Amino acid sequence: MVSTGLSLQDLASNGADLPTAATIHLTSSMLVPDLHSEDVPLTEAIATIGALLSEIGRRAGVNLFDAEGETIDFLDVRLNEMNIAYLPAGLETRLNPNDRVLIRLVPIGGG
Protein backbone atom coordinates (compact mmCIF):
# COMPACT_ATOMS: atom_id res chain seq x y z
CA MET A 1 0.00 0.00 0.00
CA VAL A 2 1.06 3.56 -0.64
CA SER A 3 0.89 6.10 2.16
CA THR A 4 -1.65 8.82 1.50
CA GLY A 5 -0.16 11.30 3.95
CA LEU A 6 -3.71 12.20 5.04
CA SER A 7 -4.52 13.18 8.56
CA LEU A 8 -7.94 12.65 10.02
CA GLN A 9 -7.75 16.23 11.23
CA ASP A 10 -8.21 17.11 7.55
CA LEU A 11 -11.70 15.62 7.72
CA ALA A 12 -12.88 18.69 9.61
CA SER A 13 -11.81 21.05 6.86
CA ASN A 14 -15.01 20.56 4.83
CA GLY A 15 -17.58 21.37 7.50
CA ALA A 16 -18.28 23.96 10.13
CA ASP A 17 -17.52 22.94 13.70
CA LEU A 18 -20.50 21.97 15.79
CA PRO A 19 -21.18 24.48 18.56
CA THR A 20 -19.50 22.28 21.19
CA ALA A 21 -16.31 21.76 19.12
CA ALA A 22 -16.62 18.16 20.30
CA THR A 23 -14.47 15.28 19.12
CA ILE A 24 -14.80 11.56 18.64
CA HIS A 25 -11.96 9.08 18.97
CA LEU A 26 -11.43 7.17 15.72
CA THR A 27 -9.40 3.98 15.56
CA SER A 28 -8.77 2.46 12.16
CA SER A 29 -6.64 -0.59 11.50
CA MET A 30 -5.74 -2.02 8.11
CA LEU A 31 -7.80 0.62 6.29
CA VAL A 32 -5.28 3.07 4.85
CA PRO A 33 -1.74 3.85 6.04
CA ASP A 34 -1.52 7.00 8.18
CA LEU A 35 -5.21 6.82 9.19
CA HIS A 36 -4.90 5.53 12.73
CA SER A 37 -6.09 6.48 16.19
CA GLU A 38 -6.88 10.17 16.36
CA ASP A 39 -9.35 12.54 17.90
CA VAL A 40 -11.53 13.88 15.09
CA PRO A 41 -13.57 17.08 15.47
CA LEU A 42 -17.29 16.58 14.92
CA THR A 43 -18.60 18.75 12.12
CA GLU A 44 -21.92 18.99 10.31
CA ALA A 45 -20.21 17.19 7.41
CA ILE A 46 -19.31 14.18 9.59
CA ALA A 47 -22.10 14.14 12.15
CA THR A 48 -23.24 10.53 11.48
CA ILE A 49 -21.50 7.17 11.13
CA GLY A 50 -22.40 7.03 7.43
CA ALA A 51 -21.08 10.52 6.76
CA LEU A 52 -17.83 9.72 8.57
CA LEU A 53 -17.35 6.57 6.47
CA SER A 54 -18.18 8.45 3.26
CA GLU A 55 -15.66 11.16 4.05
CA ILE A 56 -12.91 8.69 4.97
CA GLY A 57 -13.59 6.72 1.78
CA ARG A 58 -13.57 9.86 -0.33
CA ARG A 59 -10.33 11.13 1.19
CA ALA A 60 -8.63 7.73 0.93
CA GLY A 61 -9.96 6.86 -2.53
CA VAL A 62 -11.69 3.73 -1.21
CA ASN A 63 -15.34 2.74 -1.64
CA LEU A 64 -16.62 1.55 1.74
CA PHE A 65 -20.20 0.90 0.56
CA ASP A 66 -21.82 -1.75 -1.62
CA ALA A 67 -24.34 -1.14 -4.42
CA GLU A 68 -27.23 -0.97 -1.89
CA GLY A 69 -25.50 1.72 0.17
CA GLU A 70 -24.57 -0.58 3.05
CA THR A 71 -21.02 -1.04 4.31
CA ILE A 72 -18.98 -3.61 2.43
CA ASP A 73 -19.21 -7.11 3.93
CA PHE A 74 -15.67 -7.29 5.24
CA LEU A 75 -15.77 -3.92 7.01
CA ASP A 76 -16.26 -3.99 10.78
CA VAL A 77 -17.59 -0.69 12.15
CA ARG A 78 -18.32 -0.24 15.82
CA LEU A 79 -19.64 2.69 17.81
CA ASN A 80 -18.73 2.50 21.48
CA GLU A 81 -17.94 -1.21 21.02
CA MET A 82 -21.34 -2.00 19.41
CA ASN A 83 -21.49 -3.19 15.82
CA ILE A 84 -23.43 -0.60 13.82
CA ALA A 85 -25.61 -3.38 12.39
CA TYR A 86 -27.31 -3.49 15.81
CA LEU A 87 -27.93 0.25 16.10
CA PRO A 88 -31.56 1.18 15.32
CA ALA A 89 -30.53 4.07 13.05
CA GLY A 90 -27.62 2.18 11.48
CA LEU A 91 -25.49 4.44 9.28
CA GLU A 92 -27.70 7.42 10.19
CA THR A 93 -26.69 7.15 13.86
CA ARG A 94 -25.53 10.57 15.04
CA LEU A 95 -22.09 10.82 16.56
CA ASN A 96 -21.86 12.36 20.02
CA PRO A 97 -18.93 13.98 21.82
CA ASN A 98 -16.41 11.44 23.11
CA ASP A 99 -17.86 8.56 21.07
CA ARG A 100 -15.36 5.87 20.14
CA VAL A 101 -15.49 4.64 16.55
CA LEU A 102 -13.58 1.56 15.40
CA ILE A 103 -13.23 0.86 11.69
CA ARG A 104 -11.33 -2.21 10.51
CA LEU A 105 -11.18 -4.58 7.61
CA VAL A 106 -12.01 -8.16 8.54
CA PRO A 107 -9.43 -10.56 7.09
CA ILE A 108 -10.94 -12.93 4.55
CA GLY A 109 -9.30 -15.83 2.87
CA GLY A 110 -9.87 -18.84 0.79
CA GLY A 111 -8.10 -21.87 -0.34
Side-chain angles (χ1 to χ4, degrees), residues 107-111:
I108 58 173

Side-chain angles (χ1 to χ4, degrees), residues 5-78:
L6 295 175
S7 168
L8 290 177
Q9 297 300 328
D10 293 335
L11 292 176
S13 65
N14 288 343
D17 286 333
L18 293 175
T20 60
T23 62
I24 59 167
H25 185 75
L26 178 64
T27 302
S28 176
S29 63
M30 298 172 41
L31 187 55
V32 176
D34 300 328
L35 297 179
H36 299 292
S37 300
E38 291 191 42
D39 288 328
V40 178
L42 283 176
T43 66
E44 287 301 323
I46 56 169
T48 66
I49 291 283
L52 175 64
L53 292 173
S54 293
E55 185 64 12
I56 289 172
R58 186 183 71 76
R59 293 281 182 136
V62 178
N63 185 6
L64 301 177
F65 300 97
D66 62 19
E68 288 79 37
E70 298 296 323
T71 58
I72 52 178
D73 287 340
F74 49 91
L75 188 67
D76 180 25
V77 181
R78 295 176 185 265

